[in-house]
Structure formats: C-alpha cells, structure tokens
Amino acid sequence: MPSIHLICGFMGFGKTTFSKRLAQQLPAVCLTHDEFMVDIYGRNVSDAEFHANYQKIDDMLWKLAAKIIQAGGNVIMDYGFWKKEVRKQVQKRAQAITPNIIWHQLTCDIDVAKARVLKRTRENEAELFIDESCFNEKLKQYEPISPDEGLNVEYHSVG
C-alpha cells in the first residue's frame, strides 16, 4: 500500500539528505516545500512574501502527493513540520489520502545544524537565504514530536 512519509526536524537537521536517501530505498517521490519556493519566488524571500505564498505551494504539493498515492507511488513530504498543531492538521490531511502514514523525527545537535545552514547559505545560491539571526529566531518556534501526539514515528539521529 502506498505511504506518505512526513519528515520532522529543524533547519540543518539533514531532512533533505535523509529524504533523498529514503526516496531511493522505497522508492518514493520527495516533495520539498523550500525547493519549490526558491524555484518560483527566488532565494532571498522576505518573511512576509514567504508567508503570503506558503499556502499556494503547500496546496499544490498536497494535490501532487494525492495524485502520486493514487497512482500507487510513495510520497515523502520534506517540510520540517515544526509545530505540534501543524502536525495534527497534517495528520488529518494525510489520512484523507492514505492510512499508511509514517513520521520521521530527525534529531541533530543545534550547533551542527546552525553551521550547516550558514554554510549552505554562503555556498549554495539555490537555497533559501538564512542568516544566524533568522536561524536563532526560527529555533524558538521548533517543537519536536512528543509521545502524547500519538503519531506513528520513527526516530533518527543525524548528527
């Protein structure tokens, strides 16, 4: 039965690297929100512009995920899913597509994650621009999956 794999973790935790590896193992189609944002709106998107366009990209990716599942394929949603409330909504949305839902909680040392993000910003023009201030501010919003959420979770330490 086709499955949806939902990747949870903060910036720099290795979500995309993990997702690409998982996509080859399953096989699956990996849908990455940031990749579509950069392709459509560019790399240096203001917070206001990012949030104004986030839902359009999100809706498009979920429609695509449903089509892939209907065609018999597996899907990996490489998003991050930082907030408990968001995960609750996503779980319902995924259940409308398939009952086979697997969450992957990635963990990583924060200093390692920050170094990865800052290096990526400096060296890769295809990535969203994230400076140290942005990283630190966004970190305040991150909530890892907790057992009380009742999700089907696999845990992975990636650094």
Side-chain angles (χ1 to χ4, degrees):
M1 172 181 288
S3 58
I4 294 180
H5 295 260
L6 303 162
I7 312 302
C8 181
F10 191 61
M11 287 186 260
F13 275 26
K15 295 181 304 295
T16 300
T17 300
F18 175 85
S19 296
K20 288 176 181 177
R21 224 179 359 237
L22 184 61
Q24 290 178 344
Q25 292 170 1
L26 292 174
V29 175
C30 186
L31 302 176
T32 305
H33 193 275
D34 287 353
E35 184 178 291
F36 280 82
M37 287 293 287
V38 170
D39 286 350
I40 296 169
Y41 301 105
R43 126 177 242 252
N44 201 4
V45 181
S46 70
D47 257 3
E49 187 178 10
F50 183 90
H51 292 294
N53 293 301
Y54 182 91
Q55 197 59 50
K56 291 178 205 174
I57 300 296
D58 189 53
D59 291 342
M60 178 190 68
L61 292 178
W62 279 99
K63 286 178 188 175
L64 183 55
K67 289 178 181 183
I68 293 165
I69 293 289
Q70 289 167 356
N74 297 302
V75 173
I76 299 168
M77 304 294 278
D78 174 13
Y79 273 43
F81 304 109
W82 293 358
K83 296 241 177 230
K84 182 177 184 175
E85 189 57 39
V86 168
R87 289 189 293 270
K88 187 186 297 185
Q89 295 166 4
V90 166
Q91 180 72 12
K92 288 179 185 174
R93 197 168 193 179
Q95 285 172 326
I97 298 171
T98 181
N100 197 14
I101 303 162
I102 301 137
W103 288 85
H104 297 270
Q105 173 65 67
L106 276 53
T107 59
C108 180
D109 177 83
I110 293 300
D111 291 331
V112 169
K114 184 186 291 187
R116 287 176 181 163
V117 169
L118 297 178
K119 181 177 187 219
R120 183 169 63 207
T121 293
R122 279 190 313 271
E123 297 177 359
N124 190 342
E125 291 292 319
E127 294 287 338
L128 285 172
F129 181 87
I130 306 290
D131 62 15
E132 187 169 3
S133 175
C134 179
F135 182 93
N136 293 336
E137 196 58 37
K138 298 292 184 191
L139 183 58
K140 296 174 187 174
Q141 300 173 22
Y142 178 62
E143 303 168 341
I145 296 173
S146 61
D148 69 313
E149 293 180 61
L151 302 173
N152 178 22
V153 184
E154 295 180 9
Y155 294 89
H156 310 274
S157 179
V158 292

